[in-house]
């Protein structure tokens, strides 16, 4: 295990009131694995990752509780308690980021080479010329032809896919142990998406990086993830190995989500299923299961309190009081 | 880049040509020059002699090409009032106007930009409130009123600065403040909003995610993109200050082009009015050209755009 997040709570104090964005997020990340984080917009996927590294705008955002241990040689270090200077060494150094929109995520007035070299100079204390050399190598590595000349190009001279390659180069420039990819293919053409996924997977193997992959796309999840977190209403509702999640989903929300994939049953002709109701109102504090109002299996206990993640098997946990499979309430044994 | 520059230079030349045409024919549209320039009591023979002497009895296009030929050689004709070449009078007055506008601009930039940057980087802070107050004051106080108050307080009561004229280096202080305050207000607000907006841009988040320090983000990423916004506006402000200094020059009896223009209009000194107008236009166009060139140097999207 290289990262463990416990009961992470983040709120935004907006003019409309308090937005309860994260309501106790729990998950762990193992070295070298690919962890997919799925969920609808507003479920807290990005906010979770931003909170870990102090990237949410504060104010209005505020991290109000929880711990996030980054393990280095089995020594835990709570990211949420680091000083600004210490957290900067983690950002880019230990944990790299790839953002969704490669067009707006690069500085339009700085050459792409400098934008990559910048973090090497910062974290690895390289000289300008060494950083340039390594950047050119890295550009070749991420599949940019004529890298030596392209070092001095500006972002507007690149296509969307090429810019995302540059973003990837920035993320892995200092050989981090974790890369957080926030919907890295959403803004790209379908034809380019597969190339970018392949590239990230290749670098992941080469460099032994653990990847946290935030996405809407369950097809991507199925093809590349080792493990999946399903998020809903600012909480993790299910945490499972990818095959368990698709074969044996435990949370009613996950079940609904999988039914809503076009062609999931193999028959293209039936109507697509959707989940009735609307996502939870984050302006109210969660005191019960966030999915209860939309859940067909709802019973008294669901309204009484927020369900914790309950172990189903060794590697499978769901935040639900009801065992859908056996149609009985689940025995509540909280899992550490 | 070269193509861009050349096309901008050619555009500027055409623009200046357009200004010449407009100025020349507008003046002619105001009526027969002889009836405007010669005394009302003069006889028709005297008017005719005047037309003959000045060449006003020739076809208009001949007069225009004549005038154009003169302007190209820097000759705006003779001032009717001063009885000497308009060019000499203009050149004599030009440095004063430039001095006033430049000092007003520099003062505005030096005060406004740091306040705007600090305020925009720390919204809600003391400096931010100060900047917003300055911005509001600068843009709402009429500068002719400010000029009078400045004279009353700092020249008449405190006797720190002279009340008018351009006799010592202290003379420029009050007119420069009166002239530049509005622009300073505008610049504070603009810088603040530009920084506020750029701070929240995605590439700043990327820079943060790289672990770059706040200061380096400010210098490398925010400053350059903010300067793009500022440069274009500073160019416009400078030309506004050059041309807009007329009543400030009048209030302070500042011996610049603005007060000369006022005199020239009052005395119906048309060659001089035309000369001053064309001089102003020339500098405004030239400053715009410089602005565009500076912009191209900073923004790679224009530099390589063709």
């Amino acid at each position: 295990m290289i990262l463990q997040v416990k009961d992470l709570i983040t709120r935004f104090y907006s003019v409309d009131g308090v937005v309860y964005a994260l309501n106790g997020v729990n998950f762990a990340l193992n070295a070298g694995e690919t962890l997919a984080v799925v969920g609808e917009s507003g479920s807290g996927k990005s906010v979770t990752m931003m909170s870990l590294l102090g990237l949410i705008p504060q104010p209005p955002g505020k991290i109000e509780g929880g711990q996030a241990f980054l393990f280095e040689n089995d020594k835990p270090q709570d990211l949420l308690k680091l000083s600004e200077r210490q957290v900067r060494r983690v950002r880019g150094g230990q944990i790299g980021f790839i953002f969704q929109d490669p067009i707006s995520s690069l500085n339009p007035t700085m050459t792409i080479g400098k934008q990559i070299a910048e973090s090497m100079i910062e974290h690895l204390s390289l000289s300008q010329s060494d950083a340039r050399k390594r950047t050119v190598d890295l550009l070749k590595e991420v599949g940019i032809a004529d890298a030596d000349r392209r070092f001095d190009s500006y972002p507007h001279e690149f296509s969307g896919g090429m810019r995302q390659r540059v973003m990837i180069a920035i993320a892995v420039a200092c050989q981090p142990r974790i890369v957080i990819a926030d919907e890295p293919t959403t803004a790209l053409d379908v034809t380019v998406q597969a190339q970018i996924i392949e590239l990230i997977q290749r670098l992941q193997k080469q460099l032994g990086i653990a990847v946290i992959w935030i996405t809407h796309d369950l097809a991507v999840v199925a093809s590349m993830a080792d493990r999946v977190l399903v998020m809903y209403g600012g909480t993790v509702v299910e945490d499972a190995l990818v095959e368990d999640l698709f074969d044996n989903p435990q949370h009613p929300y996950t079940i609904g989500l999988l039914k809503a994939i076009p062609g999931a049953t193999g028959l293209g002709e039936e109507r697509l299923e959707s989940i009735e109701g609307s996502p939870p109102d984050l302006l109210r504090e969660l005191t019960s299961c966030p999915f209860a109002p939309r859940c067909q299996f709802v019973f008294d206990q669901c309204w009484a309190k927020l369900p914790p993640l309950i172990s189903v098997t060794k590697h499978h946990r769901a935040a639900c009081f009801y065992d859908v499979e056996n149609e009985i309430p689940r025995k509540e044994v909280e899992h550490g | 880049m070269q193509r861009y520059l050349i096309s901008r230079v050619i555009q500027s030349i055409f623009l200046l040509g357009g200004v010449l045409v407009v100025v020349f024919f507008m003046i002619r549209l105001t009526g027969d020059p002889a009836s405007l320039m010669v005394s009302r009591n003069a006889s028709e023979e005297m008017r005719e002699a005047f037309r003959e002497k000045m060449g006003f009895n020739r076809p208009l296009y001949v007069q225009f090409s004549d005038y154009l030929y003169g302007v190209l050689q820097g000759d705006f004709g003779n001032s009717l009032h001063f009885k000497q070449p308009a060019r000499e009078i203009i050149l004599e007055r030009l440095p004063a106007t430039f001095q006033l506008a430049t000092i007003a601009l520099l003062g505005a930039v030096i005060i406004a930009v740091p306040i705007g940057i600090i305020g925009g980087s720390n919204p809600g802070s003391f400096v931010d409130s100060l900047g917003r107050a300055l911005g509001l004051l600068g843009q709402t106080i009429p500068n002719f009123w400010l000029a009078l108050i400045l004279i009353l307080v700092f020249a008449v009561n405190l006797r720190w600065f002279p009340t008018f004229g351009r006799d010592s280096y202290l003379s420029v202080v009050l007119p420069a403040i009166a002239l530049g305050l509005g622009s300073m207000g505008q610049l504070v607000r603009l810088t603040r909003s530009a920084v506020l907006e750029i701070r929240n841009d995605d590439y700043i988040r990327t820079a943060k995610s790289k672990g770059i320090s706040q200061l380096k983000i400010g210098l490398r990423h925010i400053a350059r993109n903010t300067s793009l916004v500022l440069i274009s506006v500073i160019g416009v402000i400078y030309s506004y200050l050059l041309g807009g200094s007329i009543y400030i020059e009048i209030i302070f009896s500042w011996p610049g082009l603005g007060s000369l223009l006022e005199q020239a209009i009052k005395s119906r000194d048309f060659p001089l009015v035309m000369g001053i107008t064309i001089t102003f236009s020339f500098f405004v166009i030239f400053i715009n050209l410089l602005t565009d060139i500076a912009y191209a140097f900073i923004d790679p999207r224009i530099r390589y755009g063709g």
Side-chain angles (χ1 to χ4, degrees):
Chain A
M1 191 157 58
I2 54 171
L3 179 69
Q4 185 175 30
V5 176
K6 285 184 174 171
D7 296 318
L8 182 61
I9 295 171
T10 299
R11 290 173 184 161
F12 290 91
Y13 292 85
S14 74
V15 277
D16 298 326
V18 185
V19 178
Y20 296 88
L22 299 184
N23 302 295
V25 170
N26 289 285
F27 72 94
L29 178 72
N30 299 314
E33 79 171 340
T34 303
L35 176 68
V37 183
V38 299
E40 53 204 89
S41 308
S43 61
K45 307 181 299 273
S46 298
V47 177
T48 302
M49 303 310 155
M50 301 283 191
S51 296
L52 295 183
L53 292 176
L55 287 177
I56 55 165
Q58 307 187 39
K62 194 159 181 250
I63 297 168
E64 304 217 313
Q67 293 150 311
F69 294 110
L70 183 69
F71 291 88
E72 197 163 8
N73 306 321
D74 287 330
K75 253 182 36 209
Q77 182 184 33
D78 189 347
L79 293 177
L80 305 182
K81 293 208 168 61
L82 296 183
S83 68
E84 170 69 20
R85 182 183 289 267
Q86 288 169 317
V87 99
R88 279 212 310 268
R89 289 184 46 196
V90 176
R91 285 186 211 147
Q94 307 248 22
I95 302 181
F97 268 92
I98 303 168
F99 294 104
Q100 176 174 350
D101 186 353
I103 292 174
S104 59
S105 293
L106 291 170
N107 184 343
T109 59
M110 197 185 222
T111 63
I112 58 117
K114 275 191 185 153
Q115 296 191 50
I116 299 169
E118 189 177 34
S119 73
M120 292 183 185
I121 294 168
E122 189 79 22
H123 294 288
L124 309 176
S125 315
L126 294 185
S127 67
Q128 294 277 351
S129 60
D130 285 347
R132 184 178 174 117
K133 241 194 287 179
R134 281 189 60 160
T135 301
V136 171
D137 288 341
L138 192 55
L139 282 173
K140 285 180 195 155
E141 194 63 44
V142 298
I144 287 175
D146 203 3
D148 201 33
R149 198 175 55 83
R150 289 304 225 167
F151 182 97
D152 298 309
S153 298
Y154 287 91
H156 73 276
E157 300 171 78
F158 281 52
S159 68
M162 299 262 278
R163 285 184 222 195
Q164 198 57 297
R165 287 171 192 271
V166 172
M167 278 301 297
I168 292 168
I170 290 175
V172 302
C174 302
Q175 310 209 325
R177 293 191 294 151
I178 302 172
V179 165
I180 296 171
D182 191 350
E183 307 203 30
T185 57
T186 309
L188 302 176
D189 284 347
V190 185
T191 46
V192 182
Q193 285 182 5
Q195 295 171 12
I196 294 296
I197 292 172
E198 254 167 56
L199 173 64
I200 294 178
Q201 284 184 306
R202 181 162 60 77
L203 290 171
Q204 178 180 15
K205 277 208 195 89
Q206 263 173 25
L207 305 170
I209 303 170
V211 174
I212 297 177
W213 194 291
I214 299 172
T215 182
H216 282 111
D217 190 343
L218 287 167
V220 170
V221 173
S223 72
M224 64 169 303
D226 299 314
R227 217 151 48 79
V228 186
L229 291 184
V230 181
M231 290 196 67
Y232 188 83
T235 63
V236 173
V237 295
E238 189 154 1
D239 175 354
L241 294 175
V242 67
E243 51 271 27
D244 291 344
L245 188 93
F246 282 95
D247 296 345
N248 186 23
Q250 292 295 317
H251 197 282
Y253 175 65
T254 315
I255 296 169
L257 212 56
L258 293 177
K259 277 191 186 152
I261 304 177
T265 54
L267 304 166
E269 286 167 17
E270 66 204 298
R271 278 177 63 114
L272 272 182
E273 285 202 38
S274 62
I275 305 173
E276 294 287 316
S278 49
D281 177 8
L282 294 174
L283 286 168
R284 288 214 306 264
E285 194 169 3
L286 277 186
T287 51
S288 56
C289 175
F291 192 63
R294 302 168 78 178
C295 184
Q296 49 176 321
F297 307 108
V298 66
F299 67 111
D300 326 342
Q301 207 180 347
C302 304
W303 299 107
K305 65 173 203 169
L306 190 65
L309 279 169
I310 303 167
S311 286
V312 183
T313 63
K314 190 167 175 244
H315 296 295
H316 196 163
R317 298 185 294 164
C320 182
F321 292 124
Y322 193 74
D323 184 343
V324 178
E325 221 174 339
N326 302 312
E327 298 182 354
I328 50 164
R330 209 186 283 280
K331 241 202 264 163
E332 189 184 328
V333 188
E334 260 190 70
H335 192 82
Chain B
M1 179 72 160
Q2 272 181 348
R3 249 174 61 199
Y4 172 75
L5 290 186
I6 292 168
S7 78
R8 283 296 291 114
V9 169
I10 292 173
Q11 276 174 25
S12 301
I13 292 171
F14 270 101
L15 197 56
L16 199 57
V19 169
L20 272 170
V21 172
V22 171
V23 169
F24 181 86
F25 287 99
M26 286 272 275
I27 294 277
R28 286 300 186 277
L29 278 179
T30 58
D32 176 12
S35 63
L36 292 167
M37 296 181 194
V38 178
S39 160
R40 230 176 263 190
N41 304 322
S43 63
E44 188 50 42
E45 291 81 58
M46 286 173 78
R47 286 171 199 272
E48 198 48 56
F50 175 81
R51 289 193 190 102
E52 181 63 39
K53 184 180 148 221
M54 302 297 285
F56 289 144
N57 51 358
R58 294 174 302 161
L60 212 49
Y61 68 88
V62 176
Q63 292 181 43
F64 178 68
S65 64
D66 225 37
Y67 186 71
L68 188 64
Y69 185 70
V71 168
L72 287 178
Q73 293 173 319
D75 179 9
F76 295 119
N78 281 350
S79 157
L80 301 174
H81 179 78
F82 295 97
K83 314 285 186 218
Q84 52 170 315
R87 181 179 67 159
E88 277 173 25
I89 307 166
I90 291 170
L91 284 181
E92 194 188 299
R93 297 289 198 110
L94 199 56
T97 289
F98 264 99
Q99 184 196 19
L100 179 57
T102 308
I103 290 178
L105 180 77
L106 287 181
V109 170
I110 289 169
I111 296 171
V113 172
I115 292 180
I117 288 176
I118 297 172
S121 308
N122 309 284
S125 66
F126 170 73
V127 177
D128 187 35
S129 312
L130 179 78
R132 288 163 66 176
L134 279 179
L136 195 65
L137 282 179
Q139 293 204 286
T140 47
I141 294 180
N143 55 7
F144 58 85
W145 179 84
L146 178 69
L148 295 175
I149 296 297
L150 287 174
I151 291 174
L152 185 66
V153 174
F154 295 101
V156 176
N157 291 345
L158 293 170
R159 295 175 180 276
W160 291 355
F161 302 102
T163 44
F164 67 89
R166 183 179 178 238
D167 305 315
S168 74
Y169 64 95
L170 281 178
S171 304
V172 77
V173 176
L174 296 186
I177 294 175
L179 182 62
L181 190 83
S183 306
M184 187 211 62
Q186 195 186 349
L187 272 175
V188 170
R189 290 176 50 151
L190 187 85
T191 312
R192 176 181 180 271
S193 65
V195 170
L196 262 181
E197 197 183 307
I198 289 168
R199 272 173 84 232
N200 290 322
D201 275 349
D202 285 352
Y203 57 83
I204 298 302
R205 187 182 59 183
T206 307
K208 276 187 198 156
S209 81
K210 286 191 269 190
I212 311 290
S213 72
Q214 214 42 265
L215 184 67
K216 285 179 188 163
I217 289 175
L219 292 176
R220 286 190 208 145
H221 296 272
I222 297 180
R224 189 161 182 156
N225 287 289
T226 305
S227 65
L228 278 183
V229 180
L230 293 184
I231 276 182
S232 48
V233 176
I234 286 175
V236 173
I237 286 179
Y238 194 34
S239 33
Y240 165 81
L241 290 178
L242 277 177
S245 60
I246 297 176
Y247 46 100
I248 296 296
E249 287 191 5
I250 296 169
I251 293 173
F252 287 95
S253 302
W254 187 258
L257 275 188
S259 51
L260 182 67
L261 182 61
E262 189 235 357
Q263 280 179 313
I265 291 170
K266 271 189 185 160
S267 55
R268 304 202 150 191
D269 193 341
F270 284 93
L272 194 54
V273 172
M274 283 162 72
I276 295 171
T277 311
I278 289 166
T279 308
F280 271 134
S281 308
F282 172 78
F283 283 108
V284 168
I285 291 170
F286 185 64
I287 289 166
N288 272 324
L289 182 65
L290 285 184
T291 306
D292 285 350
I293 292 172
Y295 200 95
F297 266 102
I298 297 183
D299 193 339
R301 286 165 291 192
I302 290 186
R303 205 183 313 159
Y304 295 106

